[in-house]
Amino acid sequence: MILLQISAAQGPDECCLAVSLALRQFHKEAQAMQVELHEVEREEGRLPGTLRSVLLTLNGEAAELLAANWCGTLQWICESPWRTGRSRKNWFIGAARFSPAAVPKESEIRFETLKSSGPGGQHVNKTESAIRATHIASGISVKVQTERSQHANKRLAYLLIAHRLEQLEQQHLDEQRAERRMFHHQIVRGSPVRVFKGESFTPLA
């Protein structure tokens, strides 16, 4: 299982639109490569149909290759749909694979099994496959029910706890040293690994 985040960083609304379009393109490529894709978290943008960031899980033999094809700066070449007549046509977002610097021990996390909730009918309600994981020291807690098996949900919950802990550590470091930023502040405006163009978000070779 791979965790991958697509982010507009601190970019304007156009970058948030690019994240939404990138997610749509990512789904297409994942389907073509037979990579199972689940959306774990999302942060909505200011305008309808836009995303500030999205966190995904990737599973399958081609998951590594798909992630490698996207990680880095992504460039979108398109006129702004909101600021007509402006000369700017280049918008930059980023994608990063999550690899926690410090992985917590399982003994530091309390796992609870729960009945899944939401869409799915009787099967969902009768199956205790959902997992709530709580990091004992920090109190950070996540609930995961995106996967079908309890084991897979436990693994994802463990990764999300590690992700949250790293984010917390990064926030502390940011307060002490301004030059050290989280991924949301690290997108480089140049040397993109992928370039897309137009409202259709067509990949350029």
Side-chain angles (χ1 to χ4, degrees):
M1 182 184 295
I2 294 174
L3 277 175
L4 185 133
Q5 184 179 43
I6 305 174
S7 172
Q10 301 303 305
D13 294 326
E14 289 84 357
C15 292
C16 294
L17 177 57
V19 171
S20 182
L21 296 173
L23 178 60
R24 186 175 64 187
Q25 176 65 27
F26 197 88
H27 271 281
K28 291 180 182 178
E29 295 186 17
Q31 185 176 14
M33 298 174 70
Q34 297 184 329
V35 173
E36 186 179 355
L37 196 63
H38 289 294
E39 184 178 313
V40 182
E41 293 178 339
R42 66 161 53 196
E43 181 182 350
E44 302 288 343
R46 188 180 66 89
L47 299 178
T50 66
L51 291 172
R52 176 62 58 185
S53 69
V54 61
L55 184 65
L56 307 166
T57 62
L58 285 62
N59 288 285
E61 293 183 2
E64 292 279 355
L65 178 59
L66 179 61
N69 287 341
W70 280 79
C71 285
T73 298
L74 309 174
Q75 180 181 1
W76 179 38
I77 305 171
C78 187
E79 292 185 2
S80 170
W82 302 297
R83 293 184 275 190
T84 57
R86 300 288 183 91
S87 59
R88 181 176 176 180
K89 296 181 181 179
N90 292 293
W91 314 99
F92 295 93
I93 61 175
R97 177 177 174 175
F98 165 61
S99 299
V103 179
K105 298 178 181 178
E106 281 205 25
S107 60
E108 299 173 352
I109 302 174
R110 182 174 66 249
F111 295 97
E112 303 170 74
T113 57
L114 307 166
K115 288 184 179 180
S116 298
S117 59
Q122 293 181 351
H123 177 71
V124 168
N125 294 327
K126 290 181 179 179
T127 305
E128 291 194 353
S129 59
I131 293 290
R132 176 180 287 122
T134 304
H135 185 247
I136 299 171
S138 66
I140 293 174
S141 180
V142 299
K143 179 183 177 182
V144 178
Q145 61 180 38
T146 56
E147 305 296 327
R148 294 180 180 178
S149 74
Q150 187 181 109
H151 177 75
N153 281 327
K154 182 177 179 180
R155 182 185 177 194
L156 179 53
Y158 175 78
L159 288 173
L160 286 176
I161 288 288
H163 183 42
R164 297 282 179 84
L165 287 172
E166 185 179 37
Q167 285 185 321
L168 185 62
E169 180 182 358
Q170 285 285 1
Q171 288 173 2
H172 291 161
L173 290 174
D174 286 347
E175 293 173 359
Q176 298 171 7
R177 299 181 62 185
E179 67 271 17
R180 297 195 62 181
R181 299 299 183 193
M182 293 171 57
F183 165 66
H184 286 315
H185 304 280
Q186 290 180 330
I187 294 175
V188 179
R189 268 64 178 173
S191 302
V193 296
R194 299 285 298 273
V195 178
F196 304 87
K197 187 174 183 179
E199 295 181 3
S200 61
F201 210 74
T202 303
L204 298 183

